[in-house]
Amino acid sequence: MRKRYPRRRIKAVRKIKRINFQASYAAGYRDGRASGAASYQQPFEGTSIIIPTYNQLNYLRNCIESIHKYTPQSYEIIIIDNGSTDGTAAYLKSQAGRLRYKIFQENLGFSGGVNQGLMMAKGTSILILNNDTIVTKNWLSNLLSCLNSNPSIGLVGPVTNYLSNDQKIDVSYKNMKEMQQFAQNYNHINPVRWRKTNAIMGFCLLLSREVLQRVGYMDEGYVIGTCEDVDFYLRIQLLGLDLVIAEDTFIHHYGSVTMRSFLDASLLNNAFFREKWGDWDQIRRLEAVMNSASPNEKRKGTNFYPSHIVVKGTDSNVYWVENGYRYIVRSSDLMHVDAVRLPQLDLWNWPIGGDISIAVLQQRIAALSTLTTNFAEGSLVKTQDGEMYQIIQGKLHRMTTKYAYKAWGLEQRYVRPLTQADKNQYSEGFPIIAPPIIKANNI
């Protein structure tokens, strides 16, 4: 005869099981989340393909399918949806497991979308791709071979059918089937056809994680799109790295489909670019200074930042930067300390030099903001023709533009006149450029 247990005991047993299950579930979730967080910064041997998108769902879908079909290498696809209203969000959700994505209600612009993708990327190489492209057989293997062939290569791009620079080639195909046949015949690896250049258009850009860590993120001061790719490759060139067009690699480009609606933004972006970098004569001068520097010196983005400044990242810390090191400012009240906000990638390029108190920080800032006759470390000086410099480790580092000077919050510092005789006593160091504007809170 089957034994019957009191209802009270049955309820008690069920309650214990439920409590044990909930505790085990919570522990598993907690341990899994901790394990995931611990491994998040560990890159995988593969390529993170980042595609910012705004509407144009059909183009995006075709682009993604072409990647799945023609990319046997290890990769991940990261889509950043900039507020699309054409069903893109629903499509991305339906693709869970095949790609990773973030959906935003507003348009972050090309650079903002790319930066979100860069933050998510886990590959040892990173590829930034327009949504209006179709990739082809051997496309990624060819580009990776080019990138990995020489450590002096910082950025690689392919050729295509529709572009405004010398990456455009003549084609004769009339449909996508003929295009893929054309690409299959074209995409045969050939190092002879890897060509150094001064410019690569941003429809398809490949770089290594190591280069990303040195150069940092794209500048979000550019509205919607245009010019940010030029800004990005200029900063890569400052690192002493080459831009290379892999002329043995072809992908199809429909031609600025997403950007046709934002042509007015190019006027604002061109104005911002000139304010940040100056005219092209100034840029050529900047390149001449960099070409005269030691080619064997491994540069990073912070080589082109000033010294004796106060900065902060996304955490609660405030840092004093001096001669290539960052010092944590120790204080219970940092609310009233003016600090320039930088991405974490930039902060990590400065090694920690220890701690300083808020009192010492204020003393150092006060010393640089007071009339003085000394050419002290961190001092700002100005020549008779208006060139502004900072003295860093005994060298003169020129502010590239007034915008750079203001962006670093140096307007309250005392600027000492610099005579030609005084200038002749110094050698010139790396120029000082403005930091990128980063609008997202989690970069």
Side-chain angles (χ1 to χ4, degrees):
M1 183 174 178
R2 188 175 180 182
K3 187 175 181 179
R4 298 179 64 86
Y5 292 99
R7 181 173 296 180
R8 183 180 301 174
R9 182 178 178 184
I10 294 174
K11 287 184 177 180
V13 170
R14 288 176 177 174
K15 182 177 182 181
I16 291 172
K17 288 182 177 180
R18 184 169 64 252
I19 292 173
N20 289 339
F21 171 80
Q22 291 172 342
S24 298
Y25 181 88
Y29 179 83
R30 182 178 62 252
D31 293 345
R33 180 167 180 162
S35 176
S39 65
Y40 185 78
Q41 294 300 327
Q42 297 298 320
F44 75 94
E45 288 293 331
T47 303
S48 297
I49 302 173
I50 300 168
I51 307 175
T53 191
Y54 174 73
N55 291 327
Q56 307 300 336
L57 175 56
N58 288 336
Y59 287 99
L60 175 65
R61 183 187 290 113
N62 291 336
C63 177
I64 291 172
E65 291 306 318
S66 72
I67 293 171
H68 288 315
K69 185 173 183 178
Y70 294 104
T71 314
Q73 296 76 24
S74 178
Y75 68 91
E76 64 172 352
I77 299 177
I78 299 173
I79 310 296
I80 305 299
D81 180 25
N82 275 329
S84 297
T85 57
D86 64 346
T88 295
Y91 166 73
L92 294 177
K93 292 175 183 178
S94 74
Q95 297 296 300
R98 301 185 77 202
L99 51 80
R100 297 165 61 207
Y101 60 86
K102 270 190 178 181
I103 298 171
F104 291 91
Q105 298 304 311
E106 72 279 5
N107 193 336
L108 305 180
F110 180 77
S111 54
V114 167
N115 284 346
Q116 289 291 325
L118 292 174
M119 182 189 65
M120 296 170 62
K122 299 183 69 174
T124 51
S125 57
I126 296 167
L127 188 131
I128 302 166
L129 187 65
N130 272 21
N131 65 347
D132 59 344
T133 55
I134 299 291
V135 303
T136 55
K137 186 175 181 179
N138 297 332
W139 76 289
L140 186 56
S141 59
N142 285 9
L143 293 177
L144 286 170
S145 294
C146 179
L147 178 69
N148 296 327
S149 67
N150 194 314
S152 69
I153 298 177
L155 198 63
V156 174
V159 296
T160 190
N161 59 295
Y162 187 100
L163 217 57
S164 60
N165 73 342
D166 58 359
Q167 288 174 259
K168 178 183 177 181
I169 64 171
D170 293 330
V171 298
S172 57
Y173 59 80
K174 296 180 175 61
N175 53 53
M176 289 299 98
K177 182 178 180 180
E178 291 182 4
M179 184 277 291
Q180 291 293 354
Q181 185 60 54
F182 169 85
Q184 183 173 340
N185 296 331
Y186 188 95
N187 290 354
H188 295 287
I189 191 166
N190 185 356
V192 174
R193 301 180 68 190
W194 298 342
R195 173 172 58 85
K196 293 182 182 180
T197 184
N198 287 322
I200 295 182
M201 297 295 284
F203 81 105
C204 180
L205 301 172
L206 178 68
L207 68 158
S208 68
R209 172 168 294 276
E210 190 264 345
V211 169
L212 172 66
Q213 291 169 340
R214 289 166 62 190
V215 71
Y217 294 110
M218 286 192 169
D219 193 327
E220 296 180 29
Y222 296 98
V223 181
I224 305 299
T226 70
C227 292
E228 57 272 275
D229 52 346
V230 181
D231 182 291
F232 194 62
Y233 72 61
L234 278 176
R235 288 158 50 203
I236 288 177
Q237 288 175 303
L238 290 181
L239 302 180
L241 299 173
D242 295 322
L243 314 179
V244 175
I245 296 174
E247 294 186 330
D248 59 357
T249 309
F250 173 89
I251 70 172
H252 179 78
H253 184 214
Y254 284 104
S256 300
V257 171
T258 301
M259 294 309 303
R260 284 174 186 158
S261 300
F262 304 113
L263 294 179
D264 290 344
S266 65
L267 298 177
L268 294 174
N269 287 342
N270 284 326
F272 178 70
F273 181 88
R274 288 193 299 271
E275 183 181 23
K276 179 178 178 180
W277 292 96
D279 58 28
W280 281 102
D281 287 339
Q282 290 172 291
I283 293 173
R284 296 285 88 85
R285 177 186 171 186
L286 177 65
E287 292 173 342
V289 172
M290 299 316 305
N291 290 336
S292 65
S294 170
N296 297 322
E297 184 171 9
K298 191 172 184 179
R299 309 168 194 168
K300 50 191 177 183
T302 47
N303 289 144
F304 306 93
Y305 291 172
S307 180
H308 297 69
I309 52 174
V310 183
V311 299
K312 62 181 178 182
T314 57
D315 57 21
S316 59
N317 289 329
V318 170
Y319 303 92
W320 170 254
V321 174
E322 184 172 333
N323 295 335
Y325 290 87
R326 57 186 166 110
Y327 300 83
I328 301 176
V329 180
R330 294 302 183 189
S331 174
S332 59
D333 181 17
L334 294 171
M335 294 295 294
H336 304 293
V337 177
D338 291 329
V340 177
R341 183 172 179 271
L342 295 176
Q344 293 297 124
L345 278 184
D346 283 345
L347 290 181
W348 293 336
N349 280 325
W350 283 306
I352 290 288
D355 300 352
I356 66 169
S357 67
I358 188 69
V360 172
L361 171 67
Q362 292 170 340
Q363 290 172 3
R364 295 188 182 184
I365 294 176
L368 294 169
S369 306
T370 306
L371 176 65
T372 177
T373 58
N374 298 324
F375 289 106
E377 277 291 307
S379 295
L380 297 176
V381 294
K382 190 175 186 179
T383 63
Q384 291 180 340
D385 58 1
E387 293 279 9
M388 185 86 71
Y389 295 86
Q390 186 180 41
I391 299 174
I392 305 174
Q393 296 182 317
K395 292 184 178 182
L396 291 177
H397 294 253
R398 182 176 65 88
M399 296 282 174
T400 51
T401 59
K402 290 182 180 179
Y403 174 82
Y405 165 65
K406 293 178 180 179
W408 288 110
L410 300 173
E411 294 174 279
Q412 302 303 316
R413 304 282 179 90
Y414 174 69
V415 181
R416 190 181 189 281
L418 181 71
T419 66
Q420 187 61 46
D422 289 331
K423 183 180 179 182
N424 292 339
Q425 297 178 26
Y426 293 91
S427 59
E428 188 165 344
F430 289 151
I432 295 174
I433 66 174
I437 294 174
I438 301 297
K439 298 177 182 178
N441 293 325
N442 51 357
I443 292 182

